[in-house]
Amino acid sequence: MSGGVEWGLHCCVALSGMTEPVPAAKLAEFHDVSPTYLAKQLQALSRAGLVHSTQGQAGGYALTRDAAEISVLAVVEAIDGPQSAFRCTEVRQRGPLAAPPESCTLPCGIATVMGRADRAWRDALAGVSIADLAADVGRNVGAGTLPAVRAWLSS
Amino acid sequence: MSGGVEWGLHCCVALSGMTEPVPAAKLAEFHDVSPTYLAKQLQALSRAGLVHSTQGQAGGYALTRDAAEISVLAVVEAIDGPQSAFRCTEVRQRGPLAAPPESCTLPCGIATVMGRADRAWRDALAGVSIADLAADVGRNVGAGTLPAVRAWLSS
DNA sequence: GCTGACGTACTCGGATAACGTTTGTCCGAGTCCGATAGG
DNA sequence: CCTATCGGACTCGGACAAACGTTATCCGAGTACGTCAGC
């Protein structure tokens, strides 16, 4: 999985509860990561419609909807792509004893199992929202953390 | 995920119910894939202890235990490695408002969610065995398929 | 004093290189089977 | 006829390149704000 997913997730958490847009450069400085590369991830989020970008002097990125309405899965799919990790190459249709294509209307057992596993993975990710993650931060490292982050990003 | 996983899975299914060892070259010809690269995957399976390799003229690969005792997860981890797709880089410990390491004893919310999803994925894969896959082949493309494959691999 | 246009500085967005992992290949070490020669 | 030895060919195993995808970077297009001139 692309490592930028983690950055995108952290950015969404930081953006949650933010009223004014935050520039990509500031988010990069806050997380201490490459500004240009983080910009790429944010562009992907923008293309997926999760964040809204405004240009100009006071521009930046902001969530398009409430953090409770954005699932972790949405962020992952926006950055990493919606395709499954497993890609069936239809091995059964190759070789000397290849099965004829007309008998391969439904996916083979291997693809079925992989598809089920992938679905379970996505379900687990879909059940958690950015708001849940933000609440977890307040619970684990202190309730005053998020307001402090918010103040830093505003300055 | 590594594409060789699919090959390894198909090989394990083909090997199930086989009494004598099958050379890697024959498995490659049967599946119509690169012989040298498939050999690499089989070596990984051998290292993981899923298959046993015998050298010499009538040598080849054979399952070390019954197909019902080999889970899909075991094959996947043997080829792709046991590490999770997501790797936490501890972003929270970086930047101007970095959390002190002593307050990061337990994983952050993002890592927790990802870990849960990964576990769900692995559970789905652990619940299916190679024998299940073989039975599925007989059910879907015809009961006579596996004996035919077995005969071809023996010749 | 108010309104309009202008310039500037800041923002995002897509096109462009460098690195690492996966994919693919090769040759050497080891081993079993068959043939052969001797008892 | 049986047995021990030798030769050969086939097997796996790990070390060695090429290709793709991810990582990282740059520069250009566009926009909002602040300023200034005109009314």
Side-chain angles (χ1 to χ4, degrees):
Chain A
M1 171 161 51
S2 171
V5 169
E6 188 182 8
W7 298 5
L9 245 19
H10 274 279
C11 283
C12 284
V13 172
L15 249 39
S16 74
M18 217 62 177
T19 58
E20 36 185 304
V22 182
K26 195 165 272 279
L27 285 168
E29 185 189 356
F30 176 74
H31 292 111
D32 187 26
V33 296
S34 165
T36 55
Y37 189 41
L38 182 63
K40 199 177 185 61
Q41 318 298 343
L42 290 168
Q43 283 167 29
L45 259 50
S46 174
R47 241 172 281 152
L50 296 178
V51 300
H52 175 69
S53 69
T54 58
Q55 286 190 334
Q57 197 149 19
Y61 288 98
L63 297 181
T64 53
R65 51 185 191 268
D66 194 80
E69 303 298 321
I70 300 177
S71 70
V72 173
L73 177 63
V75 177
V76 171
E77 289 193 333
I79 295 177
D80 230 40
Q83 70 281 4
S84 164
F86 178 81
R87 188 174 60 88
C88 182
T89 60
E90 283 297 336
V91 172
R92 58 180 171 173
Q93 293 185 26
R94 302 170 59 175
L97 264 67
E102 57 265 25
S103 73
C104 295
T105 52
L106 42 110
C108 72
I110 293 174
T112 304
V113 172
M114 289 298 183
R116 255 203 294 271
D118 197 72
R119 190 168 214 164
W121 184 73
R122 287 183 147 74
D123 284 348
L125 259 41
V128 180
S129 71
I130 297 298
D132 296 331
L133 292 177
D136 194 67
V137 170
R139 202 178 305 118
N140 279 9
V141 305
T145 305
L146 251 59
V149 170
R150 189 177 165 183
W152 191 92
L153 288 175
S154 297
S155 69
Chain B
M1 172 163 50
S2 172
V5 170
E6 187 182 8
W7 298 5
L9 245 19
H10 274 280
C11 283
C12 285
V13 173
L15 249 40
S16 75
M18 217 63 177
T19 57
E20 35 186 306
V22 182
K26 196 165 272 279
L27 284 169
E29 185 189 357
F30 176 73
H31 292 111
D32 187 25
V33 297
S34 165
T36 54
Y37 189 41
L38 181 64
K40 200 179 185 59
Q41 317 298 341
L42 290 169
Q43 283 168 30
L45 260 50
S46 175
R47 242 172 282 154
L50 296 178
V51 300
H52 174 69
S53 69
T54 59
Q55 285 191 335
Q57 199 149 18
Y61 289 97
L63 298 180
T64 53
R65 51 185 191 269
D66 195 79
E69 302 299 320
I70 299 177
S71 70
V72 173
L73 177 63
V75 177
V76 171
E77 289 192 334
I79 295 178
D80 229 39
Q83 70 281 5
S84 165
F86 178 81
R87 189 174 59 89
C88 182
T89 59
E90 284 295 338
V91 171
R92 58 181 171 175
Q93 292 185 28
R94 304 170 57 176
L97 264 66
E102 57 265 25
S103 74
C104 294
T105 53
L106 43 109
C108 72
I110 293 174
T112 303
V113 172
M114 289 298 182
R116 256 204 293 271
D118 197 73
R119 191 167 214 165
W121 184 73
R122 287 184 147 75
D123 285 347
L125 259 42
V128 180
S129 72
I130 298 296
D132 295 332
L133 292 178
D136 195 68
V137 170
R139 202 177 305 117
N140 278 8
V141 305
T145 305
L146 250 60
V149 170
R150 188 176 166 185
W152 190 93
L153 288 175
S154 296
S155 69

